[in-house]
Amino acid sequence: MAHHTLFTTAPMRGTAMLHIYLSLLRHHGPVHWWRARDEFEVAVGAILTQNTAWRNVERALENLEDHLSPHAIADMPLQELEERVRPTGFYRQKARRLRAFSRFIVERYGGDMATLLSGDLERIREELLSLKGIGRETADSILLYAGNRMIMVVDTYTLRLLSRLGYPFTTDKNREYERARTFIESNLPRSVEAYREFHALVVEHAKSLCRPRPLCTDCPLASTCAHADAFLS
Ligand code: SF4
């Protein structure tokens, strides 16, 4: 079976992104993600979720419950912090990252995440990226989900999906991150809600259908997916 791919020609690409977004939305419905109580909790979740399943992050957040503030974590003895975040794996490293992040908020912004998040987007992104253990995906998750800032989050699921659909991205996240981010940002409706929803839908799609071995027969994008042939034949 031969398919036309969505990304055959440059003028098609903008329409293609919208098609992907609407098809995933129709198929999966709006994805309702966990609602945090404040911006700091979102940031803590974004740091702890690196390399682990979300249910482990929820256990760590429960352990931190009464201590979820920049001041409390900045002042917490390291060993205690390690114990509290232990369910997320790599807990020594994550405790240090969390403490460094909290100290940064306290020392630079008086413990007020809202002040950080309302600054100039490029500048605060650079500041976040300069912190140890905060890479682009984590920084942009904090900006989009905690700060309501218009910036797209790119993860390995996003690159896998787009490259399977025929867009000439490789799946090397480090190399492709900025290219994919600006491409998606310029081809989706310009709204924080659309950006959030798109990222959540891609994650949902990657977990349910577009897996390492994808379930293409049930996929709403199969008729225009470059990769589907191999799995539908
Ligand atoms: S058709 Fe298959 S490979 Fe293509 S997006 Fe859907 S699940 Fe992924």
Side-chain angles (χ1 to χ4, degrees), residues 161 164-165 205 209-210 214 216 219 222 225 227-228:
L161 175 64
R164 282 176 171 177
L165 287 169
H205 192 61
L209 295 175
C210 200
C216 302
C219 177
C225 179
H227 202 72

Side-chain angles (χ1 to χ4, degrees), residues 209-229:
L209 295 175
C210 200
R211 301 175 184 176
R213 187 170 173 76
L215 306 173
C216 302
T217 40
D218 296 327
C219 177
L221 301 169
S223 64
T224 44
C225 179
H227 202 72
D229 286 347

Side-chain angles (χ1 to χ4, degrees), residues 11-131:
M12 287 282 296
R13 288 175 190 158
T15 332
M17 281 307 302
L18 200 58
H19 170 75
I20 295 167
Y21 176 49
L22 295 176
S23 301
L24 294 181
L25 191 60
R26 244 191 320 269
H27 187 85
H28 297 290
V31 181
H32 298 293
W33 272 10
W34 143 88
R35 296 257 175 257
R37 64 181 166 189
D38 63 17
E39 300 99 331
F40 185 68
E41 191 179 353
V42 177
V44 170
I47 292 168
L48 293 180
T49 199
Q50 296 167 355
N51 303 309
T52 196
W54 185 253
R55 63 179 178 279
N56 298 327
V57 177
E58 285 178 328
R59 288 170 56 206
L61 289 172
E62 276 168 29
N63 293 344
L64 287 166
E65 176 110 56
D66 298 329
H67 308 273
L68 271 171
S69 77
H71 283 285
I73 290 186
D75 294 341
M76 189 180 288
L78 193 56
Q79 215 177 350
E80 182 184 340
L81 188 53
E82 286 176 356
E83 279 313 306
R84 291 182 191 272
V85 303
R86 190 188 269 267
T88 64
F90 304 99
Y91 62 95
R92 293 212 163 91
Q93 196 183 53
K94 286 183 180 173
R96 280 170 180 74
R97 287 178 182 176
L98 217 48
R99 188 170 67 163
F101 176 72
S102 302
R103 288 186 171 171
F104 160 75
I105 304 289
V106 169
E107 285 159 17
R108 188 135 188 161
Y109 292 96
D112 184 8
M113 275 278 295
T115 309
L116 162 76
L117 293 169
S118 60
D120 173 74
L121 186 58
E122 284 307 313
R123 181 180 55 76
I124 55 179
R125 188 171 191 250
E126 285 306 314
E127 285 187 11
L128 289 173
L129 289 175
S130 72
L131 299 174

